[in-house]
Amino acid sequence: MRCDVAEILEREGYRVKVKVEVPASEVEKTYQHVLNDYAGQVKVAGFRPGKAPAKVIEAKVGREALLGDVKEHLRDQSFPKAAQELKLLPVAARVLEENLTFGQPFTYTVEVENYPEAKLPDWEGYTLEGETPEVTDEVFNQAIEDLRARYGEMVPVEREIGEKDQVFIETDDGGRFPVNMENAQPHVREALLGKKAGEDTVVPLKDGDTVIREIPTKILEVKSLQLPELDDEFAKTVGEDDLATLNTKVRQSLEAQFEGQARNAKANQLLDKIADALEVEIPPSMQASEERSLLESLAEDLKGQKIEFNSYIEDLEKQGKLEEFKGNLSESATKRIRRSLALEALAEQLGTELTEEEWNAYLADLARQYRTTPARLQSELEKGTLDRLRTQRLYDKALGQALDKVEGRSS
């Protein structure tokens, strides 16, 4: 559908008033289309479906209802083309007035909330704080111990139960259970610590601080993690030639990890500074949409905890915390929008592009995380999800380029 006229009447910030005119020929064509749709749906006594005269259908449905549908069809078909012609990116639109007279063009005026224009601050002069942590001997030794633990073996021991053991117990009703002492409830730990395999004890069953009953329990077996010797043989098990090479690789891995964490922290610090100083007016509909998205995420999280969203809100209201919750929600939504707009503006300013090689490498990394192939990952994800991932990857690259500029690593 073409528009004879699409013009901007007023523009103030994100608010744009637009007038659209649709040719009279399109009005007549759309009216007939709507009428034919009703004719196929409405049952009229004495006529087969779709065979009732137009006048009969008009009388049955009502002229005002028909005209309402015609206006809606005409707006739905013409407005996207008008917005494209006027180079607008509407995030919301509200009809202010419209005029439909047969034999005349259909005209309507719309107030548009346009996608906001964001002006970046002079971010290249920002100073960022934070240093890369040092890989101390304590950090290195803990990493080695964690690696040994991954290759360790749980073996039975003939001694008292310790704080890191795994214990197998049998209750008086014949139930058998493993108990990881590190993760056990305090009252369970207290009942088992110091006991040996073959001994009997009593484990309290609690509801909060109240003991419901005491369960007679027999300790069947105690197992402890036996760590491999830290030598060349262990290094070969891990996939290295010798212990010296393993130590070097672990230290290098820790250094790379710390450098990556420090860089991410600085990147987030830079983004927050840019987003806070960004010159932008956020349309109310964009703010409301982001708040709805946050509420939907919260509802999903609560559902996972078997908590009803409405009950959660009611509890906040009873505690007098609902207004604080709404305020925090609004602040979080605004921050997310400003960060997103800042990233978009950065990518545009820096001319950032994501090559196919970079995109494919990212997909390969993502596929490895999900233990699948890039091809299968792309087939399982919807196009909209892939587009969002690609955009986010582009923004990540732009932020990295900006960080390099701030830290003087590129011109």
Side-chain angles (χ1 to χ4, degrees), residues 263 343 346-347 350-356 358-359 390-404:
R263 180 172 172 81
L343 286 169
L346 269 179
L350 296 172
T352 306
E353 295 182 354
L354 192 68
T355 67
E356 283 303 308
E358 289 169 332
W359 172 239
R390 189 172 193 129
T391 299
Q392 187 57 55
R393 193 61 181 169
L394 173 71
Y395 289 171
D396 289 343
K397 181 178 178 180
L399 183 58
Q401 292 172 333
L403 181 60
D404 287 343

Side-chain angles (χ1 to χ4, degrees), residues 71-292:
K71 292 175 185 177
E72 185 177 349
H73 276 74
L74 290 170
R75 291 195 306 269
D76 289 348
Q77 294 176 50
S78 62
F79 183 68
K81 294 181 175 63
Q84 184 178 18
E85 180 183 325
L86 298 172
K87 295 181 172 56
L88 298 176
L89 293 172
V91 294
R94 179 171 63 92
V95 177
L96 299 178
E97 57 181 324
E98 53 190 355
N99 182 26
L100 178 60
T101 303
F102 278 103
Q104 299 293 324
F106 169 56
T107 61
Y108 62 97
T109 304
V110 179
E111 184 179 72
V112 174
E113 287 185 20
N114 199 40
Y115 195 80
E117 294 183 7
K119 182 180 178 183
L120 288 168
D122 184 16
W123 53 269
E124 292 188 38
Y126 284 167
T127 300
L128 303 177
E129 299 176 356
E131 299 294 334
T132 302
E134 180 188 356
V135 179
T136 63
D137 289 343
E138 181 182 359
V139 170
F140 171 77
N141 291 335
Q142 184 60 55
I144 290 292
E145 289 305 298
D146 291 343
L147 186 61
R148 291 176 70 198
R150 290 216 308 260
Y151 286 84
E153 180 183 0
M154 298 300 296
V155 296
V157 291
E158 298 294 332
R159 58 163 172 74
E160 295 180 346
I161 296 171
E163 294 187 349
K164 295 185 178 182
D165 290 341
Q166 187 172 43
V167 183
F168 294 86
I169 62 173
E170 181 179 47
T171 54
D172 60 344
D173 60 1
R176 296 190 174 193
F177 308 95
V179 177
N180 187 320
M181 292 296 289
E182 284 190 289
N183 301 328
Q185 294 291 326
H187 60 277
V188 175
R189 288 165 56 86
E190 184 179 349
L192 296 178
L193 279 172
K195 302 293 189 298
K196 293 182 178 180
E199 291 186 6
D200 294 321
T201 188
V202 175
V203 178
L205 178 62
K206 285 189 172 185
D207 181 7
D209 294 330
T210 305
V211 177
I212 300 175
R213 68 187 182 95
E214 294 186 326
I215 305 173
T217 301
K218 186 177 185 63
I219 299 168
L220 300 177
E221 187 177 36
V222 181
K223 285 189 172 183
S224 178
L225 182 65
Q226 180 176 300
L227 299 179
E229 291 295 326
L230 190 58
D231 53 21
D232 288 345
E233 286 303 312
F234 172 65
K236 291 175 183 177
T237 301
V238 177
E240 302 299 341
D241 293 336
D242 50 44
L243 185 58
T245 304
L246 174 62
N247 288 341
T248 299
K249 291 286 182 69
V250 168
R251 189 172 289 278
Q252 288 173 344
S253 176
L254 288 169
E255 289 171 349
Q257 177 185 332
F258 284 4
E259 286 174 6
Q261 291 172 350
R263 180 172 172 81
N264 287 338
K266 282 189 175 182
N268 275 305
Q269 186 183 148
L270 174 61
L271 180 56
D272 282 339
K273 283 176 174 282
I274 295 174
D276 288 344
L278 195 69
E279 293 183 26
V280 65
E281 190 178 2
I282 299 172
S285 57
M286 182 179 279
Q287 175 76 20
S289 176
E290 191 64 40
E291 288 181 16
R292 282 195 301 272

